[in-house]
Amino acid sequence: YKADEGVARTDEPVRFRRGKSSGSSRGLDYRSEGGTLDLKADVRLRLENEAGPPTEIEAGAARATRDERRVVFDGGTIVRQGARELHSERLQLIFNPETDAIDRAAAIEDVDLRVGPGAPMPGMAVSEGGGKRLRCRNLQVFFRARVILSEATAVNPASLQVLPGRRDAQERRLLETDLLHFVFDEEGRLTSLNAIGGGPMARRTVVTTEPLGGRPGPSRRAESQSLVATLDPLSGAVREATFLENVTFTEPGRKAWAGQAVFDEGSGRVTLTENPRIVASGEHHRHLGA
């Protein structure tokens, strides 16, 4: 420790605590000028969360900057919170200067969020569903007070896989697109999902459904430029999904096209509009009107 230079260094294992946060690392380098703290290797951090279970972070290295209220984890990161586990190459946390709570987080490169069976995605109250997996290149998450979810965006590209619970139809649902935007209510419950195709690779938004484990049942596919879905904030179930622009539905023995389509989960009905047409195997196109 050099007081005149405002520098402290060690290569030995260290432990630290600040408020409700605690952690450890192997080696550190602190500089008072700029308020930077480098944790050199084997970083472990635990953040207590009033709105849920504690968050535990592992990383190869980390840098905290006091003036920027920022912590950047690098060298491969793992974040665990209850039954949820997030892997990414880097992770960035931005803290509120007044409350010291996390304002936003960014997971960067090879992002893989997994939610175990029986556990909800962040913001969902339902706990009987199967496993879920969100993959993307970049995930941005914004929080309200008390680290309650506000919005999240996954991009370049993004995919969301949902497996069934024991009481659900035994089929896998996969949503693939360029950008996924999640919106949460004041209590942090997921209320809407917006999937937008496009981007540099001109990706489409694709939803596929297929039976699991060789079980009987049809495989279905829906394509469109974008998709807007509203969800029940209590159960997390989809209430309605609207497919927009150049919509195509495909299932065994039948194919349909439309400019727009609306799926109502309650009735199980799909309504096609804007020049809809359907083709069954061996049939000509059937136009259904405007």
Side-chain angles (χ1 to χ4, degrees), residues 28 58 60 80 108 123 139 217 230 233-234 260 275:
L28 67 77
E58 299 178 12
R80 297 185 179 92
I108 303 164
L139 175 64
T230 58
L234 293 177
Q260 179 173 307
N275 194 31

Side-chain angles (χ1 to χ4, degrees), residues 160-203:
L160 175 61
Q161 175 183 267
V162 180
L163 297 177
R166 292 179 298 176
R167 301 180 183 180
D168 302 325
Q170 294 302 295
E171 57 186 19
R172 181 192 74 152
R173 294 184 178 183
L174 178 64
L175 168 59
E176 299 172 287
T177 189
D178 190 66
L179 181 151
L180 276 172
H181 183 64
F182 304 86
V183 178
F184 304 85
D185 67 11
E186 295 293 330
E187 297 181 38
R189 301 175 301 188
L190 184 62
T191 58
S192 69
L193 180 154
N194 193 354
I196 303 174
M201 303 300 292
R203 298 180 182 91

Side-chain angles (χ1 to χ4, degrees), residues 49-64:
N49 181 8
E50 297 178 8
T55 300
E56 297 181 345
I57 303 173
E58 299 178 12
R63 165 170 282 198

Side-chain angles (χ1 to χ4, degrees), residues 58-115:
E58 299 178 12
R63 165 170 282 198
T65 309
R66 182 186 58 216
D67 295 346
E68 296 179 353
R69 315 293 297 182
R70 181 193 311 263
V71 180
V72 179
F73 300 88
D74 212 337
T77 66
I78 303 174
V79 182
R80 297 185 179 92
Q81 186 186 48
R84 296 187 285 268
E85 186 168 301
L86 172 68
H87 292 247
S88 63
E89 183 59 30
R90 296 190 300 281
L91 176 70
Q92 178 175 268
L93 303 179
I94 306 296
F95 290 82
N96 187 294
E98 297 179 358
T99 65
D100 276 344
I102 299 173
D103 270 347
R104 60 186 176 93
I108 303 164
E109 298 294 347
D110 297 324
V111 180
D112 190 348
L113 170 61
R114 302 189 187 197
V115 180

